[in-house]
Amino acid sequence: MLYLVDQQRTGAVKEEIRRIDPAYPVFVDAILDGVIQGDLYVDHRDHPCVYFAGTTTGIYYVAGKTEAALSLCSTFIVDVYKKQKRENGRFTLFSANPASDEMMKKCFGSQLNEMQRHAYSYDLTSPDLIVPNQDEMIKRTNEQVIAASKVFPSSYYEAYWGGVDHFLSNGVGVAILNGEDVVSECVSIFLSEKRVEIDIWTDEACRGKGLALLAAQQMISICVEKGKTPHWDCDVHHAASAKLAEKLGFQWTKTYRLFYASR
């Protein structure tokens, strides 16, 4: 059985999760900080060993101190999956470590797809970022940018933020324009009080021109001004993304597994 965590315990819970997984996902903080809608559950009210977080849009995270403790909570996770499947909803789960990897594999077998991803974090104590002045090309994400976007349209913000208005009030984003066309974008897929996870895209026809670098530099600069640590995740096979992250000054923090259902 899992118990819903009271919002007042946010600070203590973050530290408890960090002891298991020092590089846990930004969206967990976003839930705990009340930036996006979601819940956090634990296996014991006073001395938890398992933490299970989930957004209302079907993105989940599980961390446990031991595989034995995780196995006792596996029925809860399977029930969440079954509910999402019945309702044709999303089920994407971020696994904290090998213990939770094994629990997920034992519970689901081949029912779920798997991928490995690298996680990176930006060091706020790094030397000041030099950001080229390209004001005529760069625009902060607004309703017009979203309407023109090929990759981050309104449905993207519905899926990750619960709506465009909520993103525009709380999120961060920049776009590079070529005339009226959006050719590169960098947005906060998740954001909490102290952290921002970056999502980035450049039009295939415009790649190799440094636009992704420019967009990311602008984004990092905004995050640093706000006192928020930028984070970057990418598939382990996406060498170009990993190379760009390192070029920007991000440091690798971990490689983790993602489990997800086909829809």
Side-chain angles (χ1 to χ4, degrees):
M1 181 174 180
L2 294 183
Y3 303 91
L4 186 63
V5 173
D6 191 304
Q7 199 73 21
Q8 294 178 342
R9 287 188 55 195
T10 294
V13 168
K14 287 182 182 181
E15 189 53 43
E16 291 163 9
I17 297 173
R18 195 173 290 114
R19 290 194 190 102
I20 300 172
D21 180 8
Y24 68 88
V26 174
F27 81 85
V28 177
D29 275 352
I31 292 171
L32 292 171
D33 293 343
V35 179
I36 59 173
Q37 291 187 330
D39 294 308
L40 177 75
Y41 295 86
V42 294
D43 62 330
H44 192 283
R45 295 187 190 278
D46 298 317
H47 304 289
C49 291
V50 175
Y51 301 85
F52 180 80
T55 71
T56 56
T57 55
I59 302 169
Y60 304 96
Y61 169 76
V62 63
K65 293 180 180 178
T66 66
E67 192 176 335
L70 284 159
S71 67
L72 295 175
C73 305
S74 59
T75 300
F76 181 95
I77 299 172
V78 171
D79 286 345
V80 170
Y81 164 72
K82 288 179 177 178
K83 178 178 181 292
Q84 291 298 102
K85 188 175 181 180
R86 284 195 306 271
E87 298 175 357
N88 197 32
R90 178 177 185 172
F91 184 87
T92 300
L93 185 139
F94 291 66
S95 176
N97 51 31
S100 48
D101 292 347
E102 287 305 308
M103 181 273 293
M104 290 296 295
K105 290 177 181 180
K106 287 179 180 178
C107 283
F108 293 97
S110 60
Q111 294 181 76
L112 297 177
N113 303 300
E114 287 182 43
M115 71 165 66
Q116 283 188 290
R117 292 176 64 82
H118 292 313
Y120 299 85
S121 179
Y122 188 80
D123 185 356
L124 291 180
T125 65
S126 297
D128 291 343
L129 190 70
I130 299 174
V131 182
N133 185 7
Q134 300 280 353
D135 290 344
E136 72 282 358
M137 296 174 59
I138 297 171
K139 208 167 192 179
R140 291 288 288 269
T141 302
N142 56 25
E143 291 178 347
Q144 290 72 36
V145 167
I146 293 170
S149 177
K150 299 175 184 176
V151 173
F152 303 130
S154 58
S155 58
Y156 175 91
Y157 299 101
E158 289 286 346
Y160 294 102
W161 281 86
V164 169
D165 290 344
H166 189 54
F167 170 81
L168 293 176
S169 298
N170 298 277
V172 181
V174 296
I176 297 180
L177 306 180
N178 180 15
E180 295 183 359
D181 295 330
V182 178
V183 293
S184 186
E185 286 186 84
C186 196
V187 303
S188 55
I189 183 170
F190 297 115
L191 177 147
S192 68
E193 289 182 0
K194 295 184 178 180
R195 301 199 288 161
V196 179
E197 184 177 336
I198 289 173
D199 206 353
I200 190 166
W201 164 86
T202 299
D203 189 292
E204 190 171 351
C206 298
R207 291 175 188 172
K209 300 178 180 179
L211 297 182
L213 178 67
L214 178 60
Q217 288 173 326
Q218 295 285 339
M219 185 69 165
I220 291 168
S221 178
I222 294 168
C223 293
V224 171
E225 280 181 19
K226 293 178 176 289
K228 298 179 188 291
T229 301
H231 290 257
W232 183 291
D233 281 28
C234 67
D235 187 286
V236 294
H237 301 296
H238 199 332
S241 183
K243 185 177 180 180
L244 178 57
E246 292 166 0
K247 186 174 183 178
L248 287 160
F250 284 87
Q251 298 178 347
W252 176 89
T253 55
K254 71 171 184 177
T255 299
Y256 66 92
R257 288 186 185 274
L258 192 71
F259 296 84
Y260 62 100
S262 300
R263 294 177 65 186

